[in-house]
Amino acid sequence: MLRILSAKAFVAALLVAPAAAKLLYATSYNDHAVTVLDLTDGQLTVLDKSLDCGSEPTWLTLDKHNGVLYCLNEGWGGAASITSFKTSLTGKLTTLNVLPVLKSPVAATLFGKKNAGLAVAHYDTSAFTTYNVGNPEKLQLFYTQNYTLSAPGPRPDRQEAPHVHDAILDPTGKFIVAPDLGSDAIHVFEVGADISATPRLPSIKTAPGAGPRHVAFAKTASGTYLYSFNELSNTVTGYKIEYAGSELKATQLFDVATRPAGESVPAGTKAAEIEVSPDQKFVIVSSRGENNLQIPAFAAGGAPAGARIVSDPLVSFSIDQATGALAIVQRAPAGGRNPRGFSINKAGTLVASALQDDNRVVVYARNVTTGQLGDAVAWATVGAGENNGPNYVLFDE
Ligand SMILES: *[C@@H]1O[C@H](CO)[C@@H](O)[C@H](O)[C@H]1NC(C)=O
Ligand SMILES: *[C@@H]1O[C@H](CO)[C@@H](O)[C@H](O)[C@H]1NC(C)=O
């Protein structure tokens, strides 16, 4: 365990300036760690690292109310797991439990009364699972839904089997949706009175070959919208969501690119994360493998004057509050290469971005009025070794 700032010093800092300090958590593959970061006065400092999320930490879900952090380990060699940690004001993570699970859990959401359910998407094993996490010291598998494909999809290299990639709770808390990159479908589950999740058929169909990866809901005065970021088509599909009893009905509204009309993304681009801003007015997506922005280099002690590095973009769209339509407002640097995961703070004023191919986490300022990202506020080295570094970062809020 690496301690850079003592717990005592950190608590002292909190007492002096409670509003200025923020904790963030990042997962990375190459150092097999969950890294705790402290953001204070424009400095991002590594406070702690835990190796208890196994060999390939890939996703974090925070139960802020209960002070519990769940970490998914993809387990590339087969030994996948979910770890529960108790969080603390000092940033120290205390391991509560480690539960072996089906291979390649990649994303999760809490759901149900008192956040007693955790729903998880499994990529390689084509499954959607739920866990009873009512006692985070004793995680228990509750339900497994396996998917099969009768024939490969239009992109057989990636669609040879179902690949469930995300699990998101809808704004009513009554449904979970799970995009399946391999099946060109978004599976829908109804949340029961306890933590049961019943599949609602048929699943929402996407365009053939779209490869839906991650999704996000927005709730505006005109209704509820679902946005799917499609890894294979590199487009965002918008759906209007309507509820009828125990059914969630999705009507496709549009499918838009991450570039203005007439422009296209380079070959090798892979859509990654999608988030809706807390005020429900903007959508942000991360686009991997574009490698076509140049930004000032980050270096401890300052980079040489004029030094530049390559970055992929974070693309922001405004949401038309009356129709749910998206319009591009900005294509900003993500802070480096391969921005697999990022998150927005609750105030909407900061975006933290994990750069998988650069062993870096960068925090950018965000203007909540314009939805535009501004300057880098802080950055830190996270991960160690070549490639497959930090893949996700989350604010402790
Ligand atoms: C789902 O598939 C896994 C193998 O990937 C298997 O171990 C499990 O028993 C299956 N569960 C159900 C409910 O079919
Ligand atoms: C956000 O942008 C608006 C419009 O350009 C500007 O008036 C405002 O000062 C900006 N806010 C911050 C916090 O920079």
Side-chain angles (χ1 to χ4, degrees):
M1 191 159 58
L2 179 67
R3 304 304 304 273
I4 288 177
L5 196 65
S6 78
K8 214 169 145 190
F10 181 59
V11 171
L14 268 183
L15 293 176
V16 174
K22 270 187 199 311
L23 293 176
L24 295 91
Y25 307 106
T27 43
S28 53
Y29 296 125
N30 59 14
D31 64 353
H32 318 290
V34 179
T35 300
V36 184
L37 297 151
D38 165 51
L39 175 64
T40 304
D41 298 336
Q43 294 287 326
L44 197 56
T45 312
V46 173
L47 288 183
D48 196 6
K49 276 181 190 281
S50 170
L51 297 178
D52 286 351
C53 185
S55 50
E56 283 87 23
T58 195
W59 183 265
L60 296 162
T61 300
L62 179 69
D63 181 343
K64 178 64 183 169
H65 181 73
N66 293 313
V68 180
L69 182 69
Y70 298 92
C71 181
L72 305 184
N73 162 30
E74 273 183 45
W76 291 347
S81 51
I82 301 175
T83 298
S84 52
F85 295 101
K86 186 78 193 151
T87 63
S88 67
L89 276 182
T90 63
K92 184 174 167 41
L93 294 175
T94 306
T95 305
L96 298 176
N97 198 203
V98 182
L99 179 74
V101 299
L102 272 184
K103 194 181 171 214
S104 65
V106 284
T109 185
L110 287 160
F111 70 99
K113 275 202 191 106
K114 297 186 178 167
N115 280 341
L118 187 75
V120 177
H122 300 257
Y123 185 92
D124 289 1
T125 43
S126 310
F128 170 93
T129 58
T130 68
Y131 301 84
N132 184 339
V133 298
N135 177 357
E137 293 179 24
K138 197 170 181 299
L139 309 177
Q140 287 178 301
L141 175 65
F142 186 79
Y143 171 77
T144 303
Q145 174 70 53
N146 289 326
Y147 290 96
T148 56
L149 265 184
S150 49
R155 281 283 305 274
D157 57 325
R158 298 292 308 278
Q159 298 186 307
E160 82 295 350
H163 294 302
V164 188
H165 216 313
D166 199 6
I168 294 280
L169 190 64
D170 84 325
T172 68
K174 292 182 177 157
F175 295 90
I176 299 166
V177 296
D180 178 340
L181 186 153
S183 307
D184 289 326
I186 300 170
H187 306 304
V188 181
F189 297 84
E190 186 194 4
V191 175
D194 47 16
I195 58 157
S196 64
T198 309
R200 308 310 309 183
L201 297 171
S203 303
I204 302 164
K205 282 313 255 180
T206 68
R213 173 189 172 93
H214 278 198
V215 295
F217 284 96
K219 193 167 181 236
T220 77
S222 62
T224 301
Y225 301 93
L226 175 68
Y227 302 104
S228 169
F229 198 26
N230 307 312
E231 180 165 337
L232 304 182
S233 63
N234 289 295
T235 59
V236 182
T237 311
Y239 300 87
K240 176 91 200 244
I241 299 297
E242 274 148 325
Y243 299 95
S246 65
E247 302 300 328
L248 175 153
K249 193 169 147 257
T251 309
Q252 184 174 327
L253 298 175
F254 59 82
D255 185 57
V256 292
T258 56
R259 294 292 191 101
E263 291 181 22
S264 55
V265 294
T269 299
K270 290 195 323 188
E273 188 58 276
I274 181 165
E275 294 288 334
V276 166
S277 62
D279 61 8
Q280 312 292 296
K281 289 183 175 164
F282 296 91
V283 165
I284 309 178
V285 300
S286 63
S287 185
R288 299 174 292 176
E290 295 203 22
N291 292 314
N292 49 18
L293 296 176
Q294 292 274 325
I295 58 173
F298 299 87
R308 314 282 284 174
I309 58 165
V310 168
S311 179
D312 284 325
L314 296 177
V315 182
S316 294
F317 300 83
S318 59
I319 300 174
D320 184 316
Q321 298 292 295
T323 65
L326 299 184
I328 295 176
V329 298
Q330 188 197 31
R331 195 165 161 272
R337 298 170 301 151
N338 202 351
R340 178 182 168 110
F342 69 89
S343 52
I344 311 171
N345 70 341
K346 283 229 156 36
T349 54
L350 297 171
V351 171
S353 169
L355 291 317
Q356 191 175 324
D357 289 352
D358 282 335
N359 287 346
R360 185 186 306 119
V361 166
V362 183
V363 178
Y364 282 101
R366 179 175 177 276
N367 184 314
V368 294
T369 312
T370 63
Q372 298 208 350
L373 305 195
D375 293 336
V377 173
W379 67 280
T381 296
V382 174
E386 287 296 300
N387 303 321
N388 286 323
N391 45 43
Y392 192 52
V393 58
L394 189 66
F395 289 90
D396 180 5
E397 298 186 316

